[in-house]
Amino acid sequence: MNYSIPFNKPHLTGKEMYNISLACQNGKISGNGHFSQLCQSFFQNAYHFKKCLLTTSCTDALEMAALLLEIKEGDEIIMPAFTFVSTANAFVLRGAKIVFADSRSDFPGIDESSIENLINTHTKAIVVVHYAGIATNMDLIMSLAGKYGLYVIEDAAQAIESYYTGSDGIKKPLGSIGHLAAFSFHETKNIICGEGGMLVINDTQFINRAEIIWEKGTNRNAFFRGEIDKYNWVDIGSSFLLSDLLAAFLWAQIENISDIQLRRISIWQKYYQQLSQWASLNNITLPFIPDYASNNGHMFYLVCNSNHERNLIIDCLKTNKILATFHYQNLASSPFMCNQSNNKNLKYVDRYSECLVRLPFFYDIKDDEVMLITELIKSIKLT
């Protein structure tokens, strides 16, 4: 079906093709070129990340994190069951056992209060997912990590330009708090390059090895910096680098990040204003933002009372050529994990899997299209 209002439409700032042309003229279109270094420097300076490495996807960034932490068979990794499969796959590939945590009752993110009971002597790391760009309670997470000697990886795929304010009153960018973090620049994210990601290294002990893993297990970067007279294969690794053509595209997005964020937050607020009263009358849950978190305008979702209600909304919009969609399915009960996961009592994950619906959300959606969507939703008889 051709939708008059799609679920997502990639936003172009107007400079993407110009930047790509410059990259071609520079004669360097493979990884770690001029635009890659511009992007990485921006993220390090703007968000105080210790080290940034652009990757071909957020999935690759997570796989690099698993390699850096030397995850092996017998290790256990705690993470939410309401997340994309890449969050788990990166660690399953290294032989780890995934221990799934439930979501919060008020929010699809991980239930921080449930984590400590899942920790044992085999636990190696906690992976938090900042769902919809809304922060996990990082004070609690980092406290648990310190108490039990664990690593923390922030899956910040949806969390560019999102912040966490801790009990110390300091506002910190998401991705800057855990030992490692992973971001996505997939076409559905706030800033994009089609397919792309980034590994953030905040624990300096991992920086040198991260560069080696990133460059196929070689010390090639040290050679280009003139630190050694030739480079060799010195560790495991893979070709994780993002093409400079895609980095050139991403740089155009970065140059317009303030404008992109203002527009996306405006769209989020219009949805919220138009649906608040209706949601209250129908016991529908709108996105919740804790006091310690900021809103980066990544997505807008509703949590219905039943799968039936969700389907009514999706079907009504589809009839009017508007695409809304559900989100993650419970990974713990997925065909791949159902015989491997011991933690089956994840009632809130099941609730979000069955009842959450995401509304069309992209920079170029028009205000009157948001109004049309909300009016159609409010016209549905849910009972």
Side-chain angles (χ1 to χ4, degrees):
M1 176 184 287
N2 291 323
Y3 291 95
S4 57
I5 304 177
F7 173 70
N8 178 68
K9 180 181 178 182
H11 170 65
L12 302 181
T13 69
K15 283 194 67 178
E16 286 81 2
M17 297 308 296
Y18 173 74
N19 284 357
I20 289 171
S21 176
L22 284 181
C24 292
Q25 292 173 35
N26 290 341
K28 170 70 171 174
I29 61 175
S30 59
N32 202 22
H34 170 69
F35 284 102
S36 297
Q37 292 168 22
L38 279 178
C39 293
Q40 290 167 176
S41 294
F42 168 82
F43 290 118
Q44 288 166 190
N45 294 329
Y47 304 111
H48 307 294
F49 301 145
K50 295 284 192 339
K51 181 71 175 180
C52 295
L53 297 173
L54 291 183
T55 58
T56 56
S57 65
C58 184
T59 302
D60 268 357
L62 289 165
E63 290 182 13
M64 282 187 68
L67 289 169
L68 282 168
L69 298 183
E70 298 183 330
I71 302 301
K72 62 186 183 303
E73 189 172 353
D75 290 337
E76 295 189 6
I77 311 296
I78 298 171
M79 66 179 62
F82 193 71
T83 186
F84 191 54
V85 64
S86 292
T87 312
N89 255 338
F91 301 92
V92 170
L93 283 167
R94 310 310 308 165
K97 176 185 176 182
I98 306 301
V99 179
F100 289 115
D102 205 355
S103 294
R104 289 170 48 146
S105 62
D106 57 0
F107 179 67
I110 194 169
D111 179 4
E112 301 94 339
S113 67
S114 72
I115 293 174
E116 188 163 18
N117 288 336
L118 302 176
I119 296 172
N120 61 41
T121 56
H122 299 290
T123 307
K124 186 73 173 284
I126 302 169
V127 182
V128 296
V129 178
H130 300 303
Y131 184 80
I134 307 304
T136 304
N137 185 335
M138 293 305 294
D139 279 355
L140 180 52
I141 299 298
M142 298 310 293
S143 174
L144 287 172
K147 180 178 178 180
Y148 293 100
L150 306 177
Y151 291 110
V152 174
I153 303 100
E154 295 180 71
D155 184 335
Q158 303 169 359
I160 195 72
E161 273 287 300
S162 276
Y163 294 84
Y164 171 79
T165 302
S167 57
D168 57 6
I170 298 174
K171 185 178 178 181
K172 300 174 183 176
L174 296 188
S176 70
I177 305 167
H179 300 89
L180 301 166
F183 285 86
S184 173
F185 306 118
H186 184 268
E187 68 167 37
T188 57
K189 303 304 187 287
N190 291 35
I191 57 171
I192 63 173
C193 64
E195 292 277 3
M198 180 172 69
L199 176 69
V200 173
I201 305 104
N202 296 311
D203 188 330
T204 55
Q205 68 170 309
F206 295 121
I207 288 177
N208 289 339
R209 188 164 183 247
E211 284 192 338
I212 289 168
I213 290 172
W214 187 55
E215 269 283 16
K216 310 160 195 72
T218 73
N219 51 1
R220 193 165 180 251
N221 272 346
F223 168 72
F224 285 135
R225 288 194 295 264
E227 298 168 4
I228 53 178
D229 61 353
K230 55 183 175 293
Y231 67 88
N232 285 290
W233 182 14
V234 296
D235 202 342
I236 59 173
S238 191
S239 185
F240 289 116
L241 290 77
L242 185 73
S243 163
D244 217 50
L245 294 177
L246 293 179
F249 189 112
L250 181 61
W251 182 245
Q253 299 271 311
I254 289 171
E255 288 183 302
N256 287 272
I257 193 168
S258 295
D259 171 65
I260 290 169
Q261 286 303 108
L262 284 172
R263 176 59 186 152
R264 292 186 71 97
I265 292 169
S266 172
I267 294 164
W268 192 99
Q269 290 171 339
K270 284 181 172 61
Y271 269 130
Y272 196 90
Q273 291 162 2
Q274 292 300 315
L275 292 172
S276 289
Q277 184 177 5
W278 167 84
S280 179
L281 290 172
N282 289 279
N283 199 32
I284 302 290
T285 301
L286 297 186
F288 170 69
I289 302 174
D291 291 341
Y292 54 70
S294 69
N295 175 20
N296 73 338
H298 175 65
M299 73 166 78
F300 197 90
Y301 64 86
L302 312 172
V303 183
C304 302
N305 296 293
S306 66
N307 182 255
H308 173 68
E309 282 189 358
R310 179 175 75 178
N311 289 341
L312 286 175
I313 292 172
I314 291 174
D315 290 345
C316 172
L317 295 177
K318 185 176 181 180
T319 298
N320 287 275
K321 296 188 175 182
I322 299 167
L323 181 59
T325 184
F326 52 84
H327 211 183
Y328 308 126
Q329 297 301 290
N330 184 347
L331 289 184
S333 57
S334 64
F336 179 73
M337 288 299 300
C338 63
N339 294 322
Q340 304 176 52
S341 176
N342 294 322
N343 196 359
K344 302 288 188 182
N345 185 26
L346 304 172
K347 67 175 182 177
Y348 291 112
V349 172
D350 287 332
R351 178 189 174 211
Y352 297 123
S353 294
E354 290 294 313
C355 302
L356 186 145
V357 56
R358 297 176 66 192
L359 302 183
F361 202 106
F362 49 93
Y363 178 100
D364 295 301
I365 193 170
K366 299 179 176 63
D367 289 351
D368 60 358
E369 291 176 326
V370 173
M371 288 294 294
L372 172 62
I373 292 166
T374 56
E375 290 303 314
L376 284 168
I377 290 172
K378 290 186 283 188
S379 72
I380 300 169
K381 292 184 179 181
L382 295 177
T383 57

